[in-house]
Amino acid sequence: MAKHPSTAPAKSTQDALTNDVLDGLKKEPKELSAVWFYDELGSFLFDNICELPEYYITRTELQIMHGHANEMAQYIGPDAALIEFGSGTSMKTRLLLDRLESPLAYAPVDISREHLFAAAGALAKDYPHLHIVPVCADFTQNFELPNFIRAAERRIVYFPGSTLGNFDRPQARALLARMRDLVGKNGAVLIGIDLRKDPRVLERAYDDAAGVTAEFNINALRHVNRELGADFDLDAFDHLAVWVENESRIEMHLVSKKEQTVHLGGEKVRIGRGEHLRTEYCHKYTLDTFNELAATAGLAVKRVWMDPNKLFSVQLLEPARLQ
């Protein structure tokens, strides 16, 4: 699970969003994009999920950062331009910024303009001597950086959390390759990678006893109803977390409790009793499988930091040198 801030759709994009949702509902199995998790309530619920005892990801990565950020900063070196993909609140970034030697600049990249500039403003108050350059963009697509950052001798892409796992293998490879191109031959990528573990641990993390994740999942339907005028019956679905071994990923599903028809964009979508609507998946890697994925994107793993239980990792990647 990873946070993807979104904003309410403008009228000019509403038809496109409706078509995207309809396309997902016509797939087998049916799908709904994870971007619908994150309205105001969804963001609040996600913050609560991060505090749950079952959800190990956030606290484990913070543990790694507290224990090893000094060493990470040494690998990054002085005068670096730090470029963070999907920056969010930049909470983990502070642990890194506090230890970097004379960083050239910090460029948070996020698609949610309001959220981005609020977080950048908060950072600017605490780091008055740091050049902070927020970039409002979708990091999964090509975007422009200010010239002085592109010209920096040492550029570092920082991608904390487990967000890479939300992309399928071709998408993840393409994103890593985009990072490689962005940092150039002298740069590096510092990235959070969630590791394979007992599926029961994952199922509990994505289906907590208090039901917060279930409400978070159901809220995606509430968001679609409000923004696109759909009529999903929120009480007619159960939340389910499923481990898919052959894909090495955990999936979140909504399971229909009854035969029902949903109306959206002038169309009717029939959903059978027991039919699944997949709302998210997150791939989990071994050190070897992630090393292999990175290599296909022209990156080599330079250093790996893990918690004592090896639940999560933060990895430093560098462009692979030609032999």
Side-chain angles (χ1 to χ4, degrees), residues 196-259:
R196 273 188 65 117
K197 54 190 65 69
D198 186 334
R200 291 171 295 183
V201 174
L202 290 166
E203 288 165 355
R204 288 193 295 269
Y206 288 77
D207 190 6
D208 61 278
V212 182
T213 311
E215 179 58 26
F216 175 73
N217 203 7
I218 290 290
N219 186 61
L221 302 182
R222 182 182 290 113
H223 192 185
V224 173
N225 282 354
R226 183 180 67 250
E227 299 296 344
L228 301 183
D231 60 354
F232 283 101
D233 180 352
L234 306 186
D235 295 323
F237 291 89
D238 284 325
H239 166 73
L240 182 68
V242 181
W243 173 252
V244 182
E245 175 64 30
N246 65 328
E247 296 286 351
S248 189
R249 71 189 189 194
I250 189 80
E251 297 184 352
M252 291 211 311
H253 293 196
L254 291 168
V255 184
S256 179
K257 299 178 185 179
K258 64 180 184 181
E259 296 277 344

Side-chain angles (χ1 to χ4, degrees), residues 115-175:
H115 191 81
L116 171 69
F117 281 88
L123 273 176
K125 292 179 182 178
D126 295 334
Y127 298 87
H129 302 297
L130 178 63
H131 196 164
I132 299 175
V133 189
V135 178
C136 187
D138 179 356
F139 62 76
T140 67
Q141 307 296 323
N142 291 326
F143 62 90
E144 288 295 320
L145 286 169
N147 288 338
F148 82 98
I149 292 181
R150 286 191 287 129
E153 183 67 17
R154 179 75 165 160
R155 297 186 298 277
I156 308 296
V157 166
Y158 183 39
F159 195 32
S162 58
T163 304
L164 191 78
N166 293 117
F167 297 89
D168 64 28
R169 296 305 196 281
Q171 292 170 335
R173 184 183 305 113
L175 183 55

Side-chain angles (χ1 to χ4, degrees), residues 5-61:
S6 66
T7 56
K11 289 185 180 299
S12 60
T13 62
Q14 193 163 11
D15 288 345
L17 290 171
T18 297
N19 289 336
D20 285 345
V21 172
L22 286 170
D23 287 345
L25 294 176
K26 293 171 183 176
K27 291 181 179 179
E28 182 59 43
K30 290 180 169 58
E31 293 181 349
L32 181 66
S33 171
V35 300
W36 292 102
F37 288 144
Y38 297 104
D39 59 358
E40 184 176 357
L41 175 58
S43 295
F44 171 79
L45 290 169
F46 181 79
D47 289 342
N48 279 274
I49 288 169
C50 291
E51 300 295 326
L52 293 170
E54 298 97 330
Y55 194 73
Y56 61 89
I57 293 175
T58 302
R59 66 173 178 270
T60 304
E61 186 175 18

Side-chain angles (χ1 to χ4, degrees), residues 104-115:
L104 176 70
Y106 170 59
V109 182
D110 203 290
I111 198 169
S112 176
R113 179 177 295 274
E114 182 178 354
H115 191 81

Side-chain angles (χ1 to χ4, degrees), residues 255-286:
V255 184
S256 179
K257 299 178 185 179
K258 64 180 184 181
E259 296 277 344
Q260 55 183 302
T261 300
V262 175
H263 301 84
L264 174 62
E267 295 193 31
K268 297 180 180 180
V269 179
R270 300 191 183 281
I271 304 176
R273 181 180 180 182
E275 189 171 0
H276 288 222
L277 172 60
R278 184 169 63 201
T279 53
E280 186 182 51
Y281 52 75
C282 194
H283 295 85
K284 310 300 176 181
Y285 293 92
T286 66

